[in-house]
Amino acid sequence: ILVVTDATAPDVIARFFEDAAKVDSIVFAEAHAPFDQELAIVGFRDANGATVVYPLVASNQDEGICWWVKGPATELGVSPELESQAREMAERVMEELGWEGCLAIEFFQMGNRLWINELAPRDLVAWVLEDALPVRVQLQMHKYIWAPDATGV
């Protein structure tokens, strides 16, 4: 990851691209967004459209690297309205894409609005699974709570 500012020397940027080309790596560039904080939500959707969306979380970013993720975000000062907006956006994205399985959606919070920054089928989902968060237990419970034709998440 290279974070480019007005002070970044052109030779540093050129070397970054050269190093990426040596290992046949694809480089993605995006404009800086003046966001207040980065938030994320994890959702699961099965083949029948049954959806589970878990509480919004907040992350701490430093130079493009995520150092920690904590939640629920509403206990960290994020408004319930923003959590509701994130849940609605997650459900809509999964429905519109016909998504099946796990999906993490990362948001930039800018004032009272959320902007989708990234759809991450694995990144945050790996964090949930590796840290054995209660989500895993809840998903297993859903297998027994939902009707047999609604399972699959």
Side-chain angles (χ1 to χ4, degrees):
I1 294 176
L2 175 66
V3 177
V4 178
T5 67
D6 292 339
T8 306
D11 63 315
V12 171
I13 298 169
R15 188 169 42 253
F16 180 81
F17 279 94
E18 290 166 4
D19 290 346
K22 287 177 188 174
V23 295
D24 201 26
S25 181
I26 298 171
V27 175
F28 293 95
E30 58 186 30
H32 173 73
F35 60 92
D36 302 324
Q37 67 179 329
E38 189 166 328
L39 303 167
I41 203 160
V42 174
F44 300 84
R45 186 171 183 271
D46 72 12
N48 297 314
T51 304
V52 177
V53 178
Y54 286 90
L56 191 65
V57 295
S59 64
N60 181 313
Q61 309 288 318
D62 186 21
E63 294 190 22
I65 299 172
C66 179
W67 289 97
W68 56 255
V69 177
K70 295 181 182 178
T74 53
E75 292 184 12
L76 302 170
V78 173
S79 73
E81 293 79 20
L82 276 181
E83 166 130 23
S84 179
Q85 182 182 353
R87 285 177 172 278
E88 290 170 12
M89 291 171 78
E91 289 170 355
R92 183 170 179 195
V93 164
M94 288 189 292
E95 182 179 342
E96 293 287 328
L97 292 175
W99 193 263
E100 290 182 32
C102 247
L103 183 66
I105 302 176
E106 298 175 9
F107 303 96
F108 286 151
Q109 177 189 351
M110 295 187 208
N112 291 326
R113 295 197 59 195
L114 295 178
W115 299 86
I116 293 177
N117 171 42
E118 182 178 344
L119 300 178
R122 290 185 293 235
D123 297 346
L124 286 178
V125 174
W127 163 74
V128 168
L129 297 176
E130 288 170 12
D131 287 351
L133 296 178
V135 170
R136 291 183 75 184
V137 174
Q138 292 169 358
L139 283 173
Q140 293 301 317
M141 289 174 58
H142 279 291
K143 288 182 179 178
Y144 300 101
I145 295 170
W146 287 348
D149 61 341
T151 60
V153 171

